[in-house]
């Protein structure tokens, strides 16, 4: 049984692994879900307009007149900070003939004017002007407000939902707000977003950050400094969670690695998290009796935080070195520990074989730190190199997507270690209301 030390920070026993109770048989998922235009169209009709999606950060739309356009496939939502300070979201369509009112993001917006025929709304979505109004006959301005969308915030992040009857965001996130509270993620600030255009379906992208099964093969460098076996998982309704201890070698090495080799692997793959440049030597002279490699990493991380004015004295070694990964249906993950937060999501592209990986890059800030708008960067997969591990994840995606098209590959064969992927498909089936003949089997 797990031994709980502090709420939200369980100290795990070695017996808890990523697999849990093995199923009677593998779970079989129809492969066409990843490339079928008809399936993608069904997602666009029944799922994407009904789920909460992270759109931007509060810092993108902090001041009156700030706006941000969020796109997900055919969906375009315009998020606007009104003159009254209220944050609102609208479907990004002129009520005349549907032209998009704003593209991208910006500031100092005074009104929402369609660039095609000049219909104009205020920042609260009320129609104020229609040129040549006489030609429409009895047209009442109050009959044509902008179409609203739901918008809510969580710890500095802005979420939107087209469904006005959707459950509150805090309920949609299941146990995450309570489980993650110890980390005070509201103290993090997003300094940049990186959008990578990928030749893969949004689900192919999301699957890559929903399991640890691939670490032993795709990430050999990382395997030397993470316990990928004793990484317990929890599944709720819309969410799933995995805990991964860093600063220790995978048990697959059976104790063959020295502390120096574990340290070198951590520096090579994760060194930036403790401010360590590539090649930083093992600090044998700093090591106190009884200290583990994890303890040394925690000390360096606290010192790096202190250099930024951030106090991490409240965080023990486990809270600094254990990565908590939260998946949220359909397409998002939080990667978090005491001094690290990265939010990633995947989005559909122009066809089922194209998608986007979006990363919100964060840094914990000292008390009283100011707010600035994040820098938004877009690039191709070939140009993107966001660290060795994520680069490896990105490079494998096109081959995955091509393989899914092969005529003989009718189903994906999933392990219980991949149950966060399975949970995504379970939710997908529920939202799409698929008939039994099109659902997963086994497992």
């Amino acid at each position: 049984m797990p031994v709980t030390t502090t709420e939200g920070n369980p100290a795990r026993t070695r017996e808890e692994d990523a697999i849990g109770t093995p199923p009677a048989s593998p779970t079989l998922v129809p492969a066409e879900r990843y490339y079928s235009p008809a399936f993608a169209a069904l997602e666009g009709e029944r799922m994407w307009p009904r789920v909460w999606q992270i759109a931007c950060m509060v810092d993108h739309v902090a001041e009156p007149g700030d706006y941000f356009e969020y796109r997900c496939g055919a969906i375009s939502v315009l998020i606007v900070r009104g003159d009254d300070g209220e944050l609102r979201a609208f479907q990004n369509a002129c009520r005349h003939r549907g032209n998009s009112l704003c593209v991208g993001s910006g500031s100092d917006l005074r009104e929402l004017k369609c660039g095609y025929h000049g219909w104009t709304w205020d920042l609260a979505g009320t129609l104020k002007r229609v040129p040549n109004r006489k030609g429409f006959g009895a047209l009442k301005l109050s009959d044509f407000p902008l179409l609203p969308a739901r918008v809510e915030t969580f710890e500095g992040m802005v979420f939107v939902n087209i469904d006005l009857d959707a459950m509150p965001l805090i309920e949609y996130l299941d146990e995450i707000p309570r489980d993650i509270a110890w980390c005070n993620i509201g103290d993090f600030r997003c300094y940049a977003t990186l959008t990578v255009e990928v030749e893969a379906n949004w689900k192919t992208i999301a699957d890559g950050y929903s399991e640890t099964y691939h670490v032993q093969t795709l990430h050999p460098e990382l395997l030397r400094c993470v316990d990928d076996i004793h990484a317990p998982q929890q599944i709720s309704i819309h969410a799933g969670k995995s805990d991964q201890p860093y600063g220790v070698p995978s048990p697959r090495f059976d104790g063959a690695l020295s502390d120096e080799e574990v340290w070198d692997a951590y520096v090579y793959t994760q060194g930036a998290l403790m401010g360590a440049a590539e090649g930083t030597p093992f600090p044998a002279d700093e090591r106190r009796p009884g200290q583990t490699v994890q303890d040394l990493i925690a000390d360096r991380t606290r010192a790096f935080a202190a250099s930024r004015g951030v106090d991490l004295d409240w965080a023990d070694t486990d809270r600094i070195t254990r990565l908590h990964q939260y998946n949220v249906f359909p397409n998002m993950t939080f990667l978090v520990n005491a001094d690290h937060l990265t939010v990633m999501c995947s989005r559909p592209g122009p066809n089922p074989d194209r998608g986007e990986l979006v990363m919100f890059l964060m840094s914990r800030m000292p008390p009283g730190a100011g707010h600035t708008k994040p820098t938004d960067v877009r690039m191709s997969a070939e140009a993107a190199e966001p660290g060795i591990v994520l680069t490896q994840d990105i490079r494998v995606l096109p081959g995955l997507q091509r393989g899914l098209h092969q005529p003989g590959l009718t189903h994906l064969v999933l392990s219980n270690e991949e149950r966060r992927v399975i949970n995504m498909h379970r939710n997908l089936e529920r939202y799409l209301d698929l008939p039994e003949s099109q659902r997963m089997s086994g497992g």
Side-chain angles (χ1 to χ4, degrees), residues 255-315:
L257 295 183
S258 67
D259 286 352
E260 288 82 357
E261 289 173 308
V262 175
W263 170 271
D264 290 345
Y266 188 89
V267 169
Y268 183 57
T269 60
Q270 316 285 313
L273 301 183
M274 59 177 181
E278 185 174 341
T280 298
F282 181 70
D285 56 335
E286 300 175 14
R287 193 174 195 174
R288 299 188 297 275
Q291 273 199 315
T292 64
V293 177
Q294 285 183 307
D295 293 329
L296 292 169
I297 290 170
D299 281 351
R300 283 290 182 96
T301 303
R302 290 189 198 95
F304 179 50
S307 73
R308 310 190 320 265
V310 173
D311 180 8
L312 282 186
D313 286 346
W314 56 269

Side-chain angles (χ1 to χ4, degrees), residues 62-387:
E63 301 297 329
D66 287 350
Y67 66 93
F68 188 96
E69 179 204 16
Y70 172 70
R71 292 190 192 178
C72 180
I75 293 173
S76 176
V77 177
L78 185 59
I79 303 160
V80 179
R81 181 74 67 177
D83 300 323
D84 56 0
E86 287 294 314
L87 196 62
R88 297 180 176 88
F90 308 102
Q91 295 185 41
N92 190 13
C94 174
R95 294 297 302 276
H96 174 217
R97 288 190 19 207
N99 185 41
S100 296
L101 297 171
C102 291
V103 176
S105 62
S107 303
D108 301 321
L109 202 64
R110 296 290 177 262
E111 60 186 13
L112 294 163
K113 181 178 180 179
C114 177
Y116 197 8
H117 295 96
W119 285 39
T120 304
W121 290 260
D122 65 19
L123 300 188
T126 302
L127 183 58
K128 293 299 184 183
R129 292 192 304 277
V130 174
N132 300 328
R133 183 173 166 187
K134 181 175 67 173
F136 293 93
L139 183 148
K140 293 176 60 178
L141 298 182
S142 59
D143 287 343
F144 298 96
L146 293 179
L147 300 170
R150 291 281 295 276
V151 60
E152 295 187 23
T153 63
F154 172 68
E155 299 289 8
M157 293 167 266
V158 178
F159 290 75
V160 294
N161 195 326
I162 296 292
D163 183 4
L164 299 180
D165 297 321
M167 68 173 65
L169 173 64
I170 202 71
E171 294 180 19
Y172 188 92
L173 294 174
D174 294 343
E175 300 298 318
I176 293 175
R178 197 161 38 248
D179 197 82
I180 209 172
W182 67 272
C183 195
N184 300 314
I185 63 173
D187 293 341
F188 286 87
R189 300 282 186 274
C190 178
Y191 59 88
T193 71
L194 174 61
T195 299
V196 182
E197 300 168 347
V198 181
E199 293 181 0
N201 186 268
W202 70 269
K203 293 183 290 296
T204 306
I205 301 169
D207 289 354
Y209 50 70
S210 301
E211 47 90 359
T212 55
Y213 185 37
H214 70 278
V215 172
Q216 59 185 306
T217 303
L218 187 63
H219 305 311
E221 301 88 352
L222 184 64
L223 192 69
R224 300 168 74 85
C225 63
V226 63
D227 186 342
D228 61 318
I229 291 178
H230 301 103
Q233 301 185 74
Q234 302 168 26
I235 300 294
S236 51
I237 300 173
H238 292 104
K241 180 189 177 184
S242 172
D243 290 347
Q244 301 154 32
Y246 279 70
V248 293
S250 170
R252 300 179 197 279
F253 288 102
D254 198 24
L257 295 183
S258 67
D259 286 352
E260 288 82 357
E261 289 173 308
V262 175
W263 170 271
D264 290 345
Y266 188 89
V267 169
Y268 183 57
T269 60
Q270 316 285 313
L273 301 183
M274 59 177 181
E278 185 174 341
T280 298
F282 181 70
D285 56 335
E286 300 175 14
R287 193 174 195 174
R288 299 188 297 275
Q291 273 199 315
T292 64
V293 177
Q294 285 183 307
D295 293 329
L296 292 169
I297 290 170
D299 281 351
R300 283 290 182 96
T301 303
R302 290 189 198 95
F304 179 50
S307 73
R308 310 190 320 265
V310 173
D311 180 8
L312 282 186
D313 286 346
W314 56 269
D316 62 14
T317 292
D318 186 71
R319 284 185 162 168
I320 292 174
T321 59
R322 181 182 296 273
L323 186 69
H324 301 259
Q325 180 168 356
Y326 299 89
N327 294 85
V328 182
F329 178 77
N331 61 336
M332 186 177 74
T333 190
F334 299 94
L335 299 168
V336 62
N337 63 29
D339 198 38
H340 174 65
L341 174 62
T342 298
V343 180
M344 301 195 297
C345 67
S346 61
R347 297 172 186 162
N351 62 61
D353 290 316
R354 298 288 299 277
E356 297 176 348
L357 171 62
V358 185
M359 287 172 270
F360 295 79
L361 308 176
M362 311 279 204
S363 179
R364 189 182 285 279
M365 301 299 286
H371 292 254
T372 58
K373 283 192 177 184
T375 300
D376 300 317
V377 178
R378 174 181 288 270
M379 62 179 58
S380 67
E382 293 75 21
E385 293 188 0

